[in-house]
Amino acid sequence: MGEFNFNAKVVRGAGRGKGMGFPTANLDAVDVDLNHGVYLVQVEVLGREYKGLLFFGPKETFGEPVSLEIFIQDLANDIYGETVAVRTIKKIRDIKKFNDPRELKKQIECDVRENLS
Protein backbone atom coordinates (compact mmCIF):
# COMPACT_ATOMS: atom_id res chain seq x y z
CA MET A 1 0.00 0.00 0.00
CA GLY A 2 1.31 3.42 -0.88
CA GLU A 3 1.06 6.53 1.21
CA PHE A 4 -2.44 7.97 1.54
CA ASN A 5 -3.25 11.48 2.79
CA PHE A 6 -6.50 13.09 3.87
CA ASN A 7 -7.88 15.84 6.10
CA ALA A 8 -10.82 15.44 8.45
CA LYS A 9 -12.51 17.24 11.31
CA VAL A 10 -12.51 15.84 14.87
CA VAL A 11 -16.00 15.13 16.18
CA ARG A 12 -17.33 13.68 19.44
CA GLY A 13 -17.64 9.93 19.73
CA ALA A 14 -19.01 7.60 22.38
CA GLY A 15 -15.95 8.01 24.63
CA ARG A 16 -15.33 4.26 24.69
CA GLY A 17 -11.64 4.59 23.74
CA LYS A 18 -10.99 6.99 26.60
CA GLY A 19 -12.63 4.52 28.99
CA MET A 20 -10.19 1.84 27.82
CA GLY A 21 -7.18 4.10 28.31
CA PHE A 22 -6.76 4.90 24.62
CA PRO A 23 -8.65 8.12 23.84
CA THR A 24 -9.33 8.44 20.14
CA ALA A 25 -10.13 11.40 17.91
CA ASN A 26 -13.24 10.45 15.96
CA LEU A 27 -13.16 11.90 12.44
CA ASP A 28 -16.08 13.12 10.36
CA ALA A 29 -14.99 11.31 7.19
CA VAL A 30 -16.01 7.70 6.56
CA ASP A 31 -15.77 7.85 2.77
CA VAL A 32 -11.97 7.83 2.48
CA ASP A 33 -10.51 5.64 -0.26
CA LEU A 34 -8.67 3.33 2.11
CA ASN A 35 -9.11 -0.36 2.88
CA HIS A 36 -10.57 -1.14 6.28
CA GLY A 37 -7.93 -1.88 8.89
CA VAL A 38 -5.58 -0.45 11.50
CA TYR A 39 -2.77 1.81 10.26
CA LEU A 40 0.32 3.50 11.61
CA VAL A 41 -0.10 7.19 10.73
CA GLN A 42 1.49 10.60 11.03
CA VAL A 43 -1.00 13.24 12.21
CA GLU A 44 -0.67 17.00 12.05
CA VAL A 45 -2.90 18.99 14.39
CA LEU A 46 -2.53 22.41 16.03
CA GLY A 47 0.70 22.96 14.09
CA ARG A 48 2.47 19.88 15.50
CA GLU A 49 3.09 16.37 14.19
CA TYR A 50 2.38 13.19 16.10
CA LYS A 51 2.45 9.46 15.46
CA GLY A 52 -0.77 7.59 15.88
CA LEU A 53 -2.87 4.55 15.09
CA LEU A 54 -5.82 4.92 12.75
CA PHE A 55 -8.81 2.58 12.88
CA PHE A 56 -11.04 2.53 9.81
CA GLY A 57 -13.96 0.16 9.44
CA PRO A 58 -16.95 -1.28 11.25
CA LYS A 59 -16.66 -1.67 15.01
CA GLU A 60 -17.16 -5.43 14.87
CA THR A 61 -16.74 -6.00 18.61
CA PHE A 62 -19.61 -3.60 19.36
CA GLY A 63 -21.76 -4.33 16.30
CA GLU A 64 -21.50 -0.71 15.14
CA PRO A 65 -21.12 0.84 11.67
CA VAL A 66 -17.97 2.14 9.99
CA SER A 67 -15.87 4.52 12.04
CA LEU A 68 -12.71 6.49 11.35
CA GLU A 69 -10.74 7.31 14.48
CA ILE A 70 -7.18 7.90 15.60
CA PHE A 71 -5.29 7.28 18.81
CA ILE A 72 -2.72 10.09 18.82
CA GLN A 73 0.35 9.38 20.93
CA ASP A 74 1.42 12.08 23.41
CA LEU A 75 -1.45 14.47 22.58
CA ALA A 76 -2.85 16.12 25.68
CA ASN A 77 -4.90 18.88 24.03
CA ASP A 78 -8.65 18.88 23.47
CA ILE A 79 -8.92 18.89 19.68
CA TYR A 80 -12.70 18.67 19.15
CA GLY A 81 -13.60 20.73 16.08
CA GLU A 82 -10.01 20.88 14.83
CA THR A 83 -9.02 19.65 11.39
CA VAL A 84 -6.29 17.03 11.30
CA ALA A 85 -4.04 16.12 8.40
CA VAL A 86 -3.40 12.38 8.29
CA ARG A 87 -0.69 10.51 6.38
CA THR A 88 -0.74 6.74 6.43
CA ILE A 89 2.62 5.06 6.93
CA LYS A 90 1.66 1.37 6.83
CA LYS A 91 -1.20 -0.99 7.47
CA ILE A 92 -0.65 -2.84 10.74
CA ARG A 93 -3.49 -5.36 10.64
CA ASP A 94 -6.99 -6.14 9.50
CA ILE A 95 -10.03 -5.48 11.67
CA LYS A 96 -10.95 -8.29 14.03
CA LYS A 97 -14.02 -9.05 16.09
CA PHE A 98 -13.08 -9.56 19.73
CA ASN A 99 -15.12 -11.51 22.28
CA ASP A 100 -15.23 -8.56 24.67
CA PRO A 101 -13.71 -5.11 25.29
CA ARG A 102 -10.90 -6.61 27.42
CA GLU A 103 -9.59 -8.60 24.45
CA LEU A 104 -9.81 -5.47 22.28
CA LYS A 105 -7.86 -3.47 24.88
CA LYS A 106 -5.10 -6.14 24.94
CA GLN A 107 -4.83 -5.91 21.13
CA ILE A 108 -4.64 -2.10 21.24
CA GLU A 109 -1.92 -2.29 23.92
CA CYS A 110 0.01 -4.66 21.64
CA ASP A 111 -0.51 -2.42 18.57
CA VAL A 112 0.76 0.63 20.51
CA ARG A 113 3.75 -1.23 21.99
CA GLU A 114 4.82 -2.66 18.63
CA ASN A 115 4.26 0.46 16.53
CA LEU A 116 4.52 3.58 18.68
CA SER A 117 7.27 2.68 21.17
Side-chain angles (χ1 to χ4, degrees):
M1 182 200 94
E3 184 178 296
F4 182 77
N5 301 293
F6 66 92
N7 293 337
K9 190 176 200 173
V10 178
V11 296
R12 292 207 180 268
R16 196 179 289 127
K18 183 183 265 185
M20 284 197 273
F22 296 97
T24 58
N26 290 269
L27 305 178
D28 67 352
V30 290
D31 58 350
V32 294
D33 187 21
L34 188 65
N35 291 328
H36 289 172
V38 178
Y39 295 83
L40 176 62
V41 295
Q42 189 79 31
V43 183
E44 185 179 326
V45 61
L46 300 174
R48 291 193 55 205
E49 287 199 354
Y50 301 89
K51 278 191 173 178
L53 296 178
L54 172 79
F55 172 91
F56 178 51
K59 295 180 181 181
E60 299 276 352
T61 303
F62 303 102
E64 294 177 2
V66 172
S67 171
L68 182 65
E69 52 191 272
I70 303 177
F71 168 71
I72 304 172
Q73 189 176 38
D74 301 326
L75 177 70
N77 303 53
D78 177 347
I79 58 170
Y80 290 116
E82 297 291 336
T83 296
V84 296
V86 179
R87 179 174 60 86
T88 59
I89 297 170
K90 68 176 181 177
K91 185 174 183 178
I92 296 170
R93 64 177 174 85
D94 289 326
I95 292 172
K96 299 181 201 173
K97 181 173 182 171
F98 297 92
N99 291 323
D100 58 50
R102 282 190 314 271
E103 277 188 19
L104 172 59
K105 182 178 179 179
K106 282 183 187 172
Q107 180 65 60
I108 296 169
E109 288 169 347
C110 182
D111 292 342
V112 168
R113 186 173 52 252
E114 292 178 1
N115 296 282
L116 296 178
S117 298

